[in-house]
Amino acid sequence: MSSGKQGQERSFWDTKTQQFHGGQDWKMCGDRFVEDFSVTTNGLGTPVKALEAAADSLKTCDHYPPADQEPARSSLAQFLWPDTHDRNHGRLILGNGASELIDLVIRQAPGETWKPGPWSVQYKEYERSAKTSGRRILEASTEERASLVCLVNPCNPTGDYLTWEEVVAWIRQHALPGAVVIVDESMQLWHSPGFREDSLASHPDLASTLLAEDGLQLYVIHSWTKIWSCTGLRLGSVVTPSAQHTQALRRVQVPWSVNTPALAFLDAVVRDTEYMNQTWELTPVWRVQLIDRLVDLSSRLPGPAWEMHGKPFLSWVWVDVKEESLADRLVHLAREAGVPVRSGRPGYEQPTFVRVAVRESGKVDHLIQAWESLLN
């Protein structure tokens, strides 16, 4: 990447103290902006009723939000556990995005070593927090077990996915006895209407079993800002191993970390079943259409064919275009056309990759037209 492009990225990030994260390039587009393909948010956009609830809640912004996060926390518990929410409610904490909760769990975790999931690369916020807490970073490929392991499943950005049984097997193989285990299921919501069946959070006896048999503390984290396209509101949650673990985290959590509009949004959006049904219906269709367009464009360009990565239900495609210079060029052209994509170079250190969000075909037209200029 040229120094000029790096300079643009640094205008949003202090590279000496902050971990690079996507989602900022749209600001560089100005009046040219059409659609943000750089973030893995839901292609349907923000749910209207929930957005209206958040806006209406601003009328009470002269009051503190509820310290117990209610009724939003109970509403989310009912969404996660329709039949057992009373049993599991005490294991749930809301946070200012998943990032707050990632840091909260990692800072209080014992031990000295950290290990990521088995992927070539995963969401970097876990590694950032592990480094700032002074841990020794292990490579995913090593056999050494760690006192803190973090697995992002489905993996953002690679699109890899393990079933819940495979996740448990991996945990037992790579975590030391007594370890803290974090599994990030933020993108698992796209799986299908039966997503709960393949979620660790939906197996209530699993956490207690791991704790009793291996001393493993299992935390399941969700970022809700992608599935409901509300990244500016900052909404996350963590399911802890037990009510006692919840209390321990709450003691060190900053009070009122989730603001009034975010709580109102969450309380409303979990009841929007039509939105979720449309998500499960349309996302796989739009993703196939996007891949077809990318494959066609690749076939008309000189050089190796592009490789498409990720499960069919996901809200993005991880694209290996095989050449670093081409990836840089694609990122630049997309930004100039007002349809930014995520470069794999900064943060992920995958310079031949770009990540493209799934969007409906009319918006994809703008991206493909921008990239077809390479044919001239």
Side-chain angles (χ1 to χ4, degrees), residues 232-243:
L233 279 179
R234 314 307 307 134
L235 269 174
S237 67
V238 58
V239 180
T240 71
S242 69

Side-chain angles (χ1 to χ4, degrees), residues 102 123 126 151-154 182-187 221-223:
I102 291 167
Y123 180 57
Y126 291 92
L151 172 67
V152 179
N153 188 54
I182 304 176
V183 178
D184 187 321
E185 292 188 345
S186 297
M187 313 310 292
I221 283 185
H222 292 97
S223 169

Side-chain angles (χ1 to χ4, degrees), residues 278-314:
Q278 286 183 323
T279 297
W280 295 316
E281 176 186 353
L282 294 176
T283 303
V285 174
W286 288 349
R287 193 176 189 277
V288 168
Q289 293 172 350
L290 172 61
I291 289 176
D292 287 345
R293 300 288 296 276
L294 294 173
V295 169
D296 174 70
L297 178 60
S298 170
S299 70
R300 292 182 283 145
L301 290 172
W306 300 356
E307 289 186 5
M308 312 294 161
H309 298 266
K311 295 298 182 181
F313 60 83
L314 292 174

Side-chain angles (χ1 to χ4, degrees), residues 257-280:
S257 66
V258 186
N259 62 46
T260 296
L263 290 172
F265 182 97
L266 180 58
D267 186 46
V269 77
V270 293
R271 287 183 283 275
D272 196 339
T273 56
E274 181 181 358
Y275 182 90
M276 291 302 299
N277 288 333
Q278 286 183 323
T279 297
W280 295 316

Side-chain angles (χ1 to χ4, degrees), residues 5 8 32 326-338 341 370-371:
K5 291 175 186 175
Q8 285 181 312
R32 303 187 310 276
L326 176 58
D328 290 342
R329 184 64 176 157
L330 291 172
V331 171
H332 173 73
L333 288 171
R335 182 188 295 159
E336 290 300 303
V341 297
W371 285 352

Side-chain angles (χ1 to χ4, degrees), residues 125-311:
E125 191 64 21
Y126 291 92
E127 182 176 347
R128 180 208 64 79
S129 186
K131 286 180 176 178
T132 58
S133 61
R135 300 175 193 276
R136 179 165 61 91
I137 307 302
L138 305 180
E139 295 293 332
S141 59
T142 66
E143 296 298 321
E144 183 178 354
R145 297 188 178 198
S147 55
L148 172 64
V149 296
C150 301
L151 172 67
V152 179
N153 188 54
C155 180
N156 190 359
T158 68
D160 294 298
Y161 183 66
L162 299 177
T163 66
W164 78 270
E165 296 97 337
E166 291 170 329
V167 172
V168 173
W170 183 90
I171 289 170
R172 286 187 155 135
Q173 182 179 354
H174 294 274
L176 287 168
V180 167
V181 178
I182 304 176
V183 178
D184 187 321
E185 292 188 345
S186 297
M187 313 310 292
Q188 203 265 345
L189 288 304
W190 268 274
H191 183 278
S192 67
F195 74 91
R196 296 174 184 87
E197 299 170 10
D198 208 31
S199 166
L200 295 187
S202 296
H203 297 271
D205 296 328
L206 175 61
S208 58
T209 299
L210 289 174
L211 191 61
E213 295 182 356
D214 305 289
L216 299 178
Q217 302 176 50
L218 174 64
Y219 294 83
V220 180
I221 283 185
H222 292 97
S223 169
W224 299 105
T225 62
K226 306 300 191 302
I227 189 70
W228 289 316
S229 193
C230 60
T231 52
L233 279 179
R234 314 307 307 134
L235 269 174
S237 67
V238 58
V239 180
T240 71
S242 69
Q244 290 73 29
H245 289 84
T246 297
Q247 292 173 354
L249 276 188
R250 191 174 289 131
R251 288 190 184 100
V252 294
Q253 185 182 29
V254 175
W256 305 296
S257 66
V258 186
N259 62 46
T260 296
L263 290 172
F265 182 97
L266 180 58
D267 186 46
V269 77
V270 293
R271 287 183 283 275
D272 196 339
T273 56
E274 181 181 358
Y275 182 90
M276 291 302 299
N277 288 333
Q278 286 183 323
T279 297
W280 295 316
E281 176 186 353
L282 294 176
T283 303
V285 174
W286 288 349
R287 193 176 189 277
V288 168
Q289 293 172 350
L290 172 61
I291 289 176
D292 287 345
R293 300 288 296 276
L294 294 173
V295 169
D296 174 70
L297 178 60
S298 170
S299 70
R300 292 182 283 145
L301 290 172
W306 300 356
E307 289 186 5
M308 312 294 161
H309 298 266
K311 295 298 182 181

